[in-house]
């Protein structure tokens, strides 16, 4: 997607009443020139959260959170920047322009597909309540689902007909093209179209805004495959979406945790039992995209998988993904043969809460499973444990957790940490994680890189040419700040002004970069620190050049005043 003009962003921001926005989530009372209430981002008994109408900003003097209305909605609503812009655009009546040639056509196809998906969801719900849907209703009732739970998740039934949905949609004026775009119909070798889902219970899948973007479908009887998902499309990607996350996100923030279970019925039973902070990945494995999406919620992720061997293996894989993507979490162990749905259906939420209370740290669980397989009684067994876990440790995204994992594995196996580190392949650590996200940069580097960006955005900016020369965007260790740096470079190359609104427009679809940009607050102190960082980087580059040229005199001269650390 192309950038959004800065004047549009500024106009939307200026048109928004921040008191009105925040009041949707927080009870505010006027207090002098501000409005005051309990902070929605941390627990407190005495209000320290203030909204300032004159500046259009909020600030919590307890936890430090602050920003404008857009920043508030991104954090409280767990929305991406473009989603916030689209929402505020509708509220203020200020339109977002078609960003680039072809966008209007693509947007039209997406809108038609969304309309078709909403139409199909209503059709499937209607069929479930008819005589045709009786077998599906019987199955759902046998699983213990209440009518209220079935309705809240929008569960439906696809009739066992080749043109059940297709024929009805045509009668109502929907185009075949929109049904194809939505993945609701397919074509055979003769070009004839037929329904994608037939004779199956339908579970609508929603995005975080509650829009139907696809379906999961369960067969009744012995039909294979047992489960079927919508095909990947511009709206739906199986590895990116999660079931029930739209319903779980607010509850997860309130509960301070997000439960991840394995299937549709697990999610529904957990919600029915009051555990509304539950969601599930689609398919057989949690993906890095799922982990990154959940990380934005800012709460621990608790894996609650089936107690059989398949569930335990799935929890191992999921634990590795969460560790690689820097997501705080743990694994709750269920009794053998139990799954969350059966457990809460038979005994309510209490046994599941007991399991959650005893949840194990992600890496500790991974280590325990390796020890279960190999043991520690023989040297060969310890070797196998170390070799199995060295790679996963190297992919842990958080530097502190990675060090603790090295230490724990060394203590359990008796193998020195240095030896274990030698087993980590160069492509595993640091660099990029298996899922493609950058490994966490050291805190000193992040602080220094933030200073460079803040100085470039401040009232007396450091010359950007100098920053780009000694620390170009590609060398930034923090992915979000690196994207901001690249956007500054691109704006300057096009001769455009560089300010917060211009950068937000350029980075509208890069949530990690927008998050980093929202936290920047240029000050004189950051400008001074940036000068120091740049001086050190320039000395380091002179030293590197001298070493490469084998210029001993230059090496001695550079080393005399060189600081090899960017930030001390």
């Amino acid at each position: 997607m192309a950038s959004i003009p800065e004047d549009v962003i500024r106009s939307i921001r200026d048109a928004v009443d921040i008191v009105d926005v925040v009041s949707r989530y927080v009870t505010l009372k006027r207090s002098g020139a501000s409005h005051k209430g309990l902070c929605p981002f941390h627990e407190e008994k005495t209000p320290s959260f203030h909204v300032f109408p004159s500046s259009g900003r909020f600030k919590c003097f307890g936890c430090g959170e602050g920003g404008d209305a857009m920043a508030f909605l991104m954090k409280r609503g767990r929305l991406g920047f473009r989603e916030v812009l689209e929402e505020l655009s509708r509220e203020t009546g200020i339109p977002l322009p078609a960003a680039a040639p072809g966008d209007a056509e693509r947007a039209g196809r997406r809108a038609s597909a969304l309309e078709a998906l909403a139409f199909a969801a209503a059709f499937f719900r209607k069929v479930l309540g008819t005589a045709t849907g009786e077998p599906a209703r019987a199955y759902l009732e046998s699983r213990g689902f209440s009518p209220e739970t079935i309705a809240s998740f929008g569960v439906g039934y696809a009739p066992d007909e080749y043109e059940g949905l297709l024929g009805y949609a045509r009668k109502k004026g929907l185009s075949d093209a929109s049904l194809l775009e939505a993945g609701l119909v397919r074509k055979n070798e003769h070009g004839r179209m037929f329904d994608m889902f037939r004779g199956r219970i339908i579970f609508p899948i929603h995005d975080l805004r509650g829009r139907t973007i696809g379906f999961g479908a369960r067969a009744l009887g012995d039909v294979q495959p047992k489960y079927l998902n919508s095909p990947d499309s511009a709206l739906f990607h199986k590895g990116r979406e999660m079931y029930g996350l739209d319903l779980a996100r607010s509850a997860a923030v309130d509960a301070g945790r997000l439960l991840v279970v394995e299937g549709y019925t697990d999610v529904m039973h957990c919600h029915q039992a009051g555990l509304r902070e539950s969601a599930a990945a689609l398919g057989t494995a949690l993906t890095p995209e799922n982990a990154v999406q959940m990380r934005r919620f800012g709460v621990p992720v608790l894996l609650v998988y089936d107690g059989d061997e398949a569930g335990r293996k799935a929890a191992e894989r999921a634990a590795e993904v969460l560790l690689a993507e820097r997501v705080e979490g743990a694994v709750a162990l269920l009794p053998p043969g139990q799954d969350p749905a059966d457990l809460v259906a038979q005994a309510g939420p209490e046994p599941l809460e007991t399991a959650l209370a005893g949840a194990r740290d992600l890496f500790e669980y991974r280590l325990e499973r390796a020890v279960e397989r190999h043991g520690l009684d023989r040297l060969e067994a310890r070797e196998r444990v170390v070799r199995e876990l060295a790679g996963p440790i190297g992919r842990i995204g958080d530097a502190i957790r990675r060090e603790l994992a090295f230490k724990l594995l060394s203590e359990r196996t008796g193998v020195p940490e240095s030896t274990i580190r030698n087993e980590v392949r160069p492509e595993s650590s640091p660099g990029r994680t298996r899922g493609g996200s950058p490994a966490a940069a050291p805190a000193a580097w992040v602080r220094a890189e933030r200073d460079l960006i803040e100085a470039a955005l401040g009232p007396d900016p450091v010359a950007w040419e100098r920053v780009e020369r000694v620390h170009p965007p590609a060398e930034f260790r923090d992915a979000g700040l690196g994207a901001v740096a690249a956007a500054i470079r691109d704006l300057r190359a096009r001769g455009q002004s560089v300010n917060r609104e211009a950068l937000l427009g350029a980075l509208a679809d890069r949530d990690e970069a927008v998050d980093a940009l929202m936290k920047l607050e240029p000050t004189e102190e950051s400008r001074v620190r940036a000068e120091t960082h740049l001086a050190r980087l320039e000395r380091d580059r002179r030293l590197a050049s001298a070493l490469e040229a084998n210029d001993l005199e230059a090496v001695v001269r550079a080393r005399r005043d060189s600081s090899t650390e960017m930030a001390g």
Side-chain angles (χ1 to χ4, degrees):
M1 302 278 293
S3 63
I4 299 173
E6 61 181 283
D7 60 320
V8 174
I9 296 175
R10 189 177 290 111
S11 296
I12 292 175
R13 177 185 283 121
D14 292 346
V16 169
D17 181 346
I18 191 170
V19 174
D20 176 63
V21 170
V22 174
S23 295
R24 302 170 197 173
Y25 303 89
V26 180
T27 300
L28 297 174
K29 293 184 178 179
R30 182 179 291 278
S31 177
S34 71
H35 292 71
K36 186 168 63 174
L38 294 175
C39 180
F41 306 123
H42 80 289
E43 292 186 10
E44 62 177 6
K45 295 182 179 179
T46 302
S48 59
F49 179 86
H50 290 257
V51 178
F52 302 94
S54 60
S55 63
R57 299 183 69 82
F58 72 91
K59 177 72 175 180
C60 176
F61 295 95
C63 68
E65 288 290 346
D68 58 19
M70 293 180 182
F72 180 86
L73 287 173
M74 286 178 65
K75 185 168 182 62
R76 184 64 181 87
R78 297 309 193 269
L79 299 172
F81 181 68
R82 184 173 286 274
E83 291 175 299
V84 168
L85 270 184
E86 290 174 351
E87 180 178 324
L88 295 180
S89 171
R90 288 191 295 272
E91 290 185 11
T92 61
I94 300 173
L96 295 177
D103 274 8
E105 181 184 349
R106 284 191 293 271
R109 291 201 306 268
R110 286 172 61 92
S112 295
L114 284 168
E115 180 185 2
L117 288 161
F119 176 89
F123 171 75
F124 294 140
R125 290 194 303 270
K126 181 178 180 180
V127 173
L128 180 66
T130 68
T132 302
E134 196 280 328
R137 293 200 306 276
Y139 170 82
L140 293 168
E141 291 169 6
S142 73
R143 293 298 306 269
F145 292 117
S146 68
E148 292 77 17
T149 298
I150 294 170
S152 66
F153 281 88
V155 179
Y157 180 68
D160 194 9
E161 302 171 10
Y162 277 88
E163 295 186 2
L165 172 63
L166 176 62
Y168 186 67
R170 283 172 169 170
K171 288 180 181 178
K172 294 298 182 179
L174 271 72
S175 69
D176 291 356
S178 67
L179 298 173
L180 279 168
E181 184 80 18
L184 294 167
V185 296
R186 300 175 65 182
K187 285 184 178 181
N188 62 19
E189 62 272 20
H190 303 297
R192 181 177 178 181
M193 293 201 300
F194 59 94
D195 286 359
M196 176 75 180
F197 304 111
R198 304 181 304 279
R200 292 174 177 269
I201 297 175
I202 299 295
F203 301 91
I205 298 165
H206 303 105
D207 62 13
L208 288 180
R209 296 166 64 180
R211 301 178 303 181
T212 302
I213 56 173
F215 297 100
R218 186 194 190 281
L220 294 176
D222 297 327
V223 178
Q224 295 297 323
K226 184 176 180 181
Y227 286 97
L228 187 65
N229 286 109
S230 292
D232 284 355
S233 68
L235 291 170
F236 176 81
H237 189 281
K238 181 179 176 181
R240 187 177 59 222
E241 313 303 339
M242 296 186 70
Y243 183 68
L245 195 60
D246 60 310
L247 298 177
R249 66 174 183 177
S250 295
V253 174
D254 294 339
R257 67 186 186 186
L258 176 62
L259 309 185
V260 176
V261 294
E262 285 195 86
Y264 306 122
T265 56
D266 289 329
V267 173
M268 292 174 63
H269 266 300
C270 285
H271 279 246
Q272 185 168 283
L275 301 170
R276 300 183 182 277
E277 66 273 25
S278 305
L282 304 180
T284 58
L286 193 75
T287 67
E289 290 86 354
N290 296 149
V292 170
Q293 187 177 41
M294 292 187 292
R295 189 176 66 205
R296 289 173 53 196
F297 283 56
V299 297
V301 173
L302 303 183
L303 302 173
V304 194
Y305 287 2
D306 296 357
D308 57 13
E309 183 60 21
R312 291 174 184 264
K313 286 182 178 179
E316 282 188 77
R317 295 190 297 269
E320 283 193 28
V321 172
L322 294 181
L323 286 167
E325 298 300 339
R326 311 191 302 279
V327 180
E328 181 184 355
V331 180
L333 300 176
L334 298 184
Q338 292 274 11
D339 62 38
D342 293 336
L343 199 62
V344 298
Q346 295 168 6
E350 289 77 14
L352 188 56
E353 289 286 5
T354 300
L356 293 170
R360 304 303 303 271
D361 171 81
L362 295 171
F363 182 74
E364 288 181 0
Y365 175 75
R366 185 68 179 83
L367 174 57
E368 288 173 3
R369 290 284 294 168
V371 171
E372 285 177 16
R373 279 189 289 272
H374 307 299
L376 294 172
D377 54 336
R378 293 176 294 110
L379 291 178
E380 294 84 352
R382 296 185 182 204
E383 178 187 354
R384 284 194 291 268
V385 170
V386 170
R387 292 190 185 280
E388 179 179 320
L389 294 179
I393 290 178
R395 290 188 290 270
I396 293 177
D398 182 84
I400 294 176
R401 291 186 186 181
R402 187 165 57 246
E403 293 302 312
L404 291 172
F406 275 124
K407 182 177 178 62
L408 180 59
L409 182 57
S410 175
E411 291 174 349
R412 287 294 302 273
T413 62
V415 178
E417 286 186 46
S418 58
T419 304
I420 298 174
R421 292 176 192 277
N422 289 336
E423 287 297 311
V424 178
R425 295 187 298 276
E427 63 268 25
S428 295
S429 174
R432 301 188 76 79
T433 67
R434 179 176 61 183
S437 295
W445 274 94
V446 175
R447 184 177 64 246
E449 290 177 341
R450 184 178 296 123
D451 287 339
L452 293 179
I453 300 295
E454 288 179 349
L457 294 175
D460 183 23
V462 172
W464 178 252
E465 291 81 0
R466 187 180 172 201
V467 175
E468 187 174 11
R469 184 177 67 254
V470 299
H471 196 57
E475 294 184 9
F476 272 64
R477 297 194 184 185
D478 181 85
L481 290 169
V484 175
I488 292 174
R489 177 199 61 203
D490 295 343
L491 287 172
R492 289 178 59 85
R494 293 195 295 267
Q496 297 176 245
S497 60
V498 177
N499 53 51
R500 193 179 295 267
E501 285 76 19
L503 289 169
L504 286 172
L507 298 166
D509 295 301
R510 300 284 300 278
D511 288 342
E512 190 170 16
V514 171
D515 288 343
L517 181 61
M518 288 289 196
K519 295 174 183 175
L520 299 178
E521 295 184 10
T523 63
E524 175 63 18
E525 290 77 10
S526 63
R527 189 196 67 78
V528 171
R529 289 195 301 269
E531 288 280 6
T532 303
H533 302 322
L534 286 169
R536 289 176 174 174
L537 280 167
E538 286 169 338
R539 290 196 296 268
D540 289 348
R541 285 187 176 271
R542 288 197 297 270
L543 175 59
S545 297
L547 287 169
E548 186 176 354
N550 199 25
D551 185 341
L552 296 182
E553 183 179 342
V555 168
V556 172
R557 188 168 57 250
R559 278 179 170 168
R560 190 167 50 236
D561 62 349
S562 176
S563 170
T564 57
E565 292 293 332
M566 181 178 178

